[in-house]
Amino acid sequence: MTGIVILPAGRDDAFEDYKRFIRDGHPIDDIESYLDEDDLELFRTTSDDDLVHVWGTSVDGAWRNVERNDIVLVYHDGEFVARGQVLQLRHDPNLAEYLWKENVDHGRWDDESPWEYMTFLTDVEEVDVDIEEFNELVGYDETYRPQGFTRVADKRLDQLAREESVETAIADLTDAGERVHPVDDEDDEDDQDNGPTPDLADQLRAASTDGNAHEKFEKLVAKAFSRLGCTADWIEGGGDTDVEIRSPEHIVVEVKARGNGRVNSLEVTNVDKHRRQRGADHAIVVASGFAPKVIDNAETTDLTTLAVDDLVELLDRRDRYAVPPEETLALLTRSGAFQDDRLDLLDESIQDRTDAGETLLAVIRALERADGPVETAEDVRWIVVGMEDSDDVPTTEEVRSALQLLAHPTVGVVEQDEEGYRATTDYENGVQLVRSLGEVVQPPREKE
């Protein structure tokens, strides 16, 4: 859950530090020698003006509870005067001393209590919010005034999250920043009779080529990733980051609606900037289609291009086979264009798992039909052969592996003793138990 961090700049000298180091920013080049390669690259790629926006504190306890993407509010004289978002956290006594001992003249630096716990910000905006409005929002007493570096307690944030999201609540309060709308995979009431995917597929295709339907397209893509089993948010006012997948992996999604049906060029640097700002591991760009040159260049980038038709195909596999989101994202987070070859890999995996599920269920049915225990895996296989009208029957080794799995204590569908194997449940219960082993299981077709 996104947190809220309060930076007090109450004294006049602290307020001057705010204006210099947060509002205006400090040149990256001036502190380059203090930074490691990762932070230097992060700051350069996420800054439009080669500046960092930074604050330091000596309060390490509260600071250690802060996380990337937490919302930051700067307090001064009864008001919040700025908001931003946590870009990076850094414990660096040497850099802190350089910035606030050698670069300022107010003399408030204390060698015994240095401001070495540093918070770097992005998306800094000036705001004008009365402290009492904030107190009412989070449930503080109306007389509350920030006395030091603070992170609002999670129990207070839970209430905001239940109403919609912390980000939306603060955006409404400050009239700045983005609004985050969690998306679920529930069907709309008027879609219940037709099933979820066909209607969503039609809407995705229509919105992707409607240049006036950007917001609708973003919402639909967020809904699509939720249907794929991901925890997804639609980001309103989030610049070019339109959807954020929070689990099972952290991914940003940029959505491009084009009237001509395809994206002819892509600003890869901007996409990577937005990914880094949010601390995401990967970026995906979704559009109706992509020009050949974009597809050719996709392999050299750290992002994935995904055409709407391929997204619809993924939804179809999820609906039909309950493909786990981890398996889908493993293919979507490989850099380059998502094309037919990756879909083929998914289909092969589905087929392998379906075959394995059919073998398990065939073994259960064979044991259920047997008159007493069946002595060996070979004997079980011959019962399966007698039930099937297809040449595609499992090998003895496949049957033996299935029996070992089904007889495992954590499964307990099959029991083995000196007389052989016997089923401990009927076929219908076996279907449910086998489904719990893996999310993709297709029962063997009944004979005509």
Side-chain angles (χ1 to χ4, degrees), residues 246-309:
R246 299 188 183 274
S247 71
E249 296 191 42
H250 190 189
I251 301 168
V252 295
V253 182
E254 302 200 0
V255 180
K256 311 290 185 184
R258 294 291 186 269
N260 64 1
R262 68 181 188 181
V263 172
N264 291 313
S265 62
L266 196 59
E267 293 293 336
V268 174
T269 302
N270 286 339
V271 177
D272 189 57
K273 171 186 173 181
H274 304 141
R275 177 189 69 80
R276 290 174 180 273
Q277 283 178 322
R278 293 182 178 274
D281 301 315
H282 197 75
I284 298 173
V285 181
V286 178
S288 178
F290 298 89
K293 65 179 180 180
V294 175
I295 295 174
D296 287 339
N297 293 334
E299 191 176 4
T300 65
T301 67
D302 291 325
L303 59 85
T304 302
T305 57
L306 176 63
V308 162
D309 283 344

Side-chain angles (χ1 to χ4, degrees), residues 28-331:
I28 296 174
D29 288 344
D30 186 51
I31 61 172
E32 179 177 352
S33 61
Y34 292 90
L35 303 175
D36 56 38
E37 291 184 4
D38 290 342
D39 279 353
L40 182 59
E41 183 180 12
L42 173 66
F43 297 151
R44 289 200 186 283
T45 55
T46 57
S47 174
D48 293 326
D49 47 16
D50 291 325
L51 299 172
V52 291
H53 305 269
V54 59
W55 191 255
T57 181
S58 59
V59 185
D60 65 318
W63 178 84
R64 293 185 189 281
N65 291 326
V66 177
E67 297 180 1
R68 289 189 66 173
N69 294 320
D70 279 355
I71 296 169
V72 175
L73 298 174
V74 180
Y75 173 78
H76 174 73
D77 194 23
E79 297 178 335
F80 289 104
V81 296
R83 63 151 291 158
Q85 207 155 0
V86 176
L87 175 64
Q88 183 64 297
L89 299 161
R90 185 179 179 91
H91 178 213
D92 194 330
N94 294 328
L95 176 56
E97 183 174 347
Y98 174 71
L99 289 176
W100 292 299
K101 182 178 182 180
E102 300 179 22
N103 271 274
V104 297
D105 55 11
H106 52 52
R108 289 183 55 235
W109 177 266
D110 182 352
D111 287 331
E112 300 300 318
S113 184
W115 306 325
E116 59 191 303
Y117 301 99
M118 306 175 69
T119 305
F120 292 83
L121 311 180
T122 187
D123 296 334
V124 175
E125 298 180 67
E126 291 187 285
V127 298
D128 183 7
V129 177
D130 191 281
I131 180 65
E132 293 185 1
E133 295 179 49
F134 175 80
N135 291 344
E136 182 179 0
L137 178 68
V138 300
Y140 282 158
D141 186 87
E142 63 180 13
T143 63
Y144 171 78
R145 297 295 184 273
Q147 299 295 301
F149 186 99
T150 303
R151 187 181 189 275
V152 177
D154 284 344
K155 67 179 182 179
R156 299 183 184 276
L157 302 178
D158 286 340
Q159 181 61 40
L160 301 182
R162 280 195 293 269
E163 294 177 2
E164 183 159 28
S165 70
V166 173
E167 294 91 340
T168 298
I170 296 299
D172 290 341
L173 177 71
T174 62
D175 197 27
E178 62 197 26
R179 290 165 171 81
V180 175
H181 307 280
V183 177
D184 60 42
D185 63 352
E186 294 296 321
D187 299 332
D188 296 330
E189 290 184 4
D190 56 357
D191 295 338
Q192 293 291 327
D193 295 336
N194 298 325
T197 300
D199 183 67
L200 179 57
D202 292 343
Q203 292 185 65
L204 281 165
R205 290 188 176 107
S208 69
T209 56
D210 185 346
N212 297 315
H214 294 283
E215 189 171 287
K216 180 179 180 181
F217 189 29
E218 293 167 8
K219 294 179 183 178
L220 290 169
V221 170
K223 172 76 77 173
F225 277 102
S226 179
R227 291 266 176 88
L228 290 174
C230 304
T231 301
D233 297 332
W234 170 50
I235 312 296
E236 181 185 3
D240 284 329
T241 297
D242 306 307
V243 177
E244 186 166 11
I245 299 171
R246 299 188 183 274
S247 71
E249 296 191 42
H250 190 189
I251 301 168
V252 295
V253 182
E254 302 200 0
V255 180
K256 311 290 185 184
R258 294 291 186 269
N260 64 1
R262 68 181 188 181
V263 172
N264 291 313
S265 62
L266 196 59
E267 293 293 336
V268 174
T269 302
N270 286 339
V271 177
D272 189 57
K273 171 186 173 181
H274 304 141
R275 177 189 69 80
R276 290 174 180 273
Q277 283 178 322
R278 293 182 178 274
D281 301 315
H282 197 75
I284 298 173
V285 181
V286 178
S288 178
F290 298 89
K293 65 179 180 180
V294 175
I295 295 174
D296 287 339
N297 293 334
E299 191 176 4
T300 65
T301 67
D302 291 325
L303 59 85
T304 302
T305 57
L306 176 63
V308 162
D309 283 344
D310 289 320
L311 178 56
V312 169
E313 292 290 343
L314 291 174
L315 287 167
D316 177 67
R317 270 68 169 176
R318 172 70 175 177
D319 283 347
R320 291 166 56 196
Y321 304 107
V323 177
E326 293 84 358
E327 187 169 358
T328 301
L329 292 183
L331 295 172

